[in-house]
Structures are given as C-alpha cells and as structure tokens.
Amino acid sequence: MAPMPDAVAGPEERPLAIEGARLLVLEPVVDDRGAFMEGWREDWAPGFRPVQSNLSWSEENVLRGLHFHRHQADVWNVVSGRARIGLVDLRPGSATRLATSVIEVDTDEERVCLLIPPGVAHGFYARSAMLLHYLVDRAYDGSDELGLAWNDPDVGLTWPTERPLLSERDRSNPALADALRLLG
C-alpha cells in the first residue's frame, strides 16, 4: 500500500469565458485502498467563506436551472455522474457580461471544482444519474434565489434535449431581459 502524500498538489485551472468563474481540475491520489481528493481549499478561492453545504441528487435527463443570486457565491463538486453545466454572466459592469461557458463533466474521466461568483447564472443537465455537492457563502435566503429561463434563445446555451425533466420553478423562470432587470 502506498502511503498518502504529506501534501496534495494544487489543481490545474482551465480558463472560462466568464470573469471570476473558475474551473479547477482536481487530482485524486489513488492506492489499493481507493482514493483521496481535496474538494475545496481556502487558498483556491480567497475570500470565499462557506456557511452551508448542500447535496443535490438528480436522475438522468434532469435539468436544474438556470439559477442565480445577487449575493451568494457557490463552489460545486460533481461527486458522481455526468453533467453539462451552463454559466451565464448577468453582472452589471462585468467585462464578460452576457458571456456563457459550457463545461462537460464526467466523473469517470476527471473531477473538477467550479467556483461561481454572485450574478452568474448556473444550471446543469444530468447526462446520467448524478450527485452534486456544493458549498455556499450565504445561508439559504429565498429572496436571493433568482432564475433565468433555461431555454431562452437570447442566452445562447444549448442543452442535449428539448424535453428535460424540470421543476415547476425552472419551467417558469423569466426570460433574459426580465432577469437582467433584477440585477440592475
């Protein structure tokens, strides 16, 4: 059995089209017992202070989103499964306002950590049954739970299906123009 290392190497960062959003590729340490991997470290996101941890299970063909917050930042780890993640920068004054990023995650291939700043809409489509663990820097506050229509053509995100399983909330999220008004 190989001993665990004293320190785990820092993650590789992949560029995203949205300023302040960060995609970190995590490197598990594997031995005959299994594996170990850091899912988040304070120095990966200076200033981010988690106050709540959440788990989301989704069956294949579920689409959750697009959601955004005025004040809350998120750190996501897809624990198992395959997902297509979509991001849209809605922040007034952002150099990348209205830019989008699409991230394909397959936990059989690699593990990632995604940092999502406030004002960036986010959602995912479950390509298989999946488990998402995420940290937030604000406790749940329904007044800061906002949405954007997942299929608004003005957003420009594409999804693998036109008929995903959606919550009632996500079926009734507003168009981009209305969502932008919420942020000023």
Side-chain angles (χ1 to χ4, degrees), residues 45-160:
F48 179 84
R49 300 287 178 264
V51 299
Q52 187 172 320
S53 171
N54 301 307
L55 291 169
S56 169
W57 289 266
S58 296
E59 296 300 323
E60 184 174 355
N61 196 42
V62 166
L63 194 145
R64 295 186 189 263
L66 297 164
H67 305 151
F68 65 97
H69 316 280
R70 290 183 197 97
H71 308 291
Q72 174 184 299
D74 293 33
V75 171
W76 285 13
N77 291 104
V78 177
V79 176
S80 65
R82 296 181 305 123
R84 170 175 268 208
I85 299 171
L87 304 175
V88 184
D89 189 349
L90 303 178
R91 299 169 293 176
S94 169
T96 56
R97 189 167 200 211
L98 301 181
T100 61
S101 285
V102 174
I103 302 136
E104 297 288 348
V105 177
D106 181 343
T107 60
D108 287 340
E109 301 294 323
E110 68 182 4
R111 305 296 176 122
V112 298
C113 177
L114 178 62
L115 291 78
I116 306 168
V120 173
H122 46 278
F124 66 85
Y125 173 77
R127 291 183 172 276
S128 70
M130 61 171 280
L131 174 61
L132 173 69
H133 175 249
Y134 62 103
L135 304 171
V136 295
D137 65 353
R138 304 243 176 172
Y140 175 79
D141 174 0
S143 69
D144 196 33
E145 291 290 322
L146 306 167
L148 168 63
W150 67 277
N151 58 350
D152 185 326
D154 291 335
V155 172
L157 289 175
T158 60
W159 301 100

